[in-house]
Amino acid sequence: MKDLIDKLKKNNSLSKDEFVFLIKNRTPEICEHIFKEADEVRKSVYGTDVYIRGLIEISNYCKNDCFYCGIRNSNTSLTRYRLSEEDILKCCMEGYSLGFRTFVLQGGEDSFFSDDVMESIIRSIKERYPDCAVTLSLGEKSRSSYERLYRAGADRYLLRHETADNCHYKRLHPVYLSLDERKKCLFDLREIGYQVGTGFMVGSPFQTAENLADDMCFLMKLKPHMVGIGPFLPHKDTPFKDYRQGDLELTLFMIALTRLTLPNALIPATTALSTLSSSGRIKGIMAGANVIMPNLSPVNLRKLYSLYDGKAFLNEEAKEGLSKLMEQVKAAGYEIVSSRGDYKKEG
């Protein structure tokens, strides 16, 4: 087992069968070993720096009906909202004063936020905060839309593939969504010039070790700049409401595998980790993550961006608890820094 981890650390690649073997045969001892190795690799590239991104959840409207997602179109019990451009700029103003130099605009696939609307928002943010990066996470769009938003000033785009196995993808999504289209979007984004982020759920319904190995093989092919990995967490208003949540240790293990596979990647310790465990976010950093995304959204609306049940949205998960979060990160031996936190190119 340790030989395989050493091989991955040296070559940044394994075969699918080797990934499957590691995932299936991990032990607490092996987990501790790979966490240590992943931490060593991230420190060799990024030191002890932890980058903060200001998350602004701009809309919980979504045209899609993904089976695991609380803001799915058919969830009629959810109160819907949209932020105005003025609302978004106010969030940015508050975030900038706290030291945030990246703003992440995230939302469901909401037709209200057309290319015209988004271009205006992006340009307004860039005019006011030219030293900041703008990251978008707004789902699948046409290549021409991605190009237009990139020209407007968007720097990064997050689009999690969720699973790289086509059969598994179909069991998590309605028939009109396809894994091939999602992958095409990711490669389009990369060709256009974005810093590209993808990622996957750990412990989603019907997932196997082979599925997770496929995710790792897809990461080796795409070579994204950012990778978001979080546990599956059920939502009471979805078809998967009674399924078990993902496992924290396995999620941390996949973060560590990703760090060894993509040494230069920007990997967030997600809010979902903190939902599983109060120490989940710090454990994520110690397993190789180097990004945290506190919530800058208006406090009264955060609970409505309900992707899963039990979401942590206050205290150290948000702007209100930034000082406490900084203390926690420092106590673990790392340091939150105020910078754009761009991807560091290899070599």
Side-chain angles (χ1 to χ4, degrees), residues 3 48 63 99 124 127 133 144 165 177 188 198 202 223 263 280 341 343:
D3 289 345
T48 57
K63 68 180 184 182
S124 293
E127 286 171 4
S144 61
D165 177 82
L177 293 176
D188 282 348
T198 190
V202 176
K223 297 189 184 304
Y343 175 83

Side-chain angles (χ1 to χ4, degrees), residues 110-128:
D110 181 356
S111 60
F112 172 83
F113 287 96
S114 63
D115 291 351
D116 286 342
V117 172
M118 287 309 306
E119 181 174 0
S120 176
I121 292 169
I122 294 165
R123 290 190 185 280
S124 293
I125 294 173
K126 287 297 217 175
E127 286 171 4
R128 288 166 174 76

Side-chain angles (χ1 to χ4, degrees), residues 261-274:
T261 304
L262 300 170
N264 294 60
L266 297 159
I267 303 175
T270 64
T271 300
L273 288 175
S274 292

Side-chain angles (χ1 to χ4, degrees), residues 186-221:
L186 285 163
F187 282 103
D188 282 348
L189 287 161
R190 189 174 177 90
E191 289 175 7
I192 290 166
Y194 285 92
Q195 290 183 39
V196 178
T198 190
F200 53 92
M201 288 183 290
V202 176
S204 59
F206 320 115
Q207 187 180 69
T208 64
E210 287 76 14
N211 295 150
L212 289 169
D214 283 330
D215 288 319
M216 297 308 303
C217 292
F218 177 63
L219 293 182
M220 289 193 298
K221 181 179 180 181

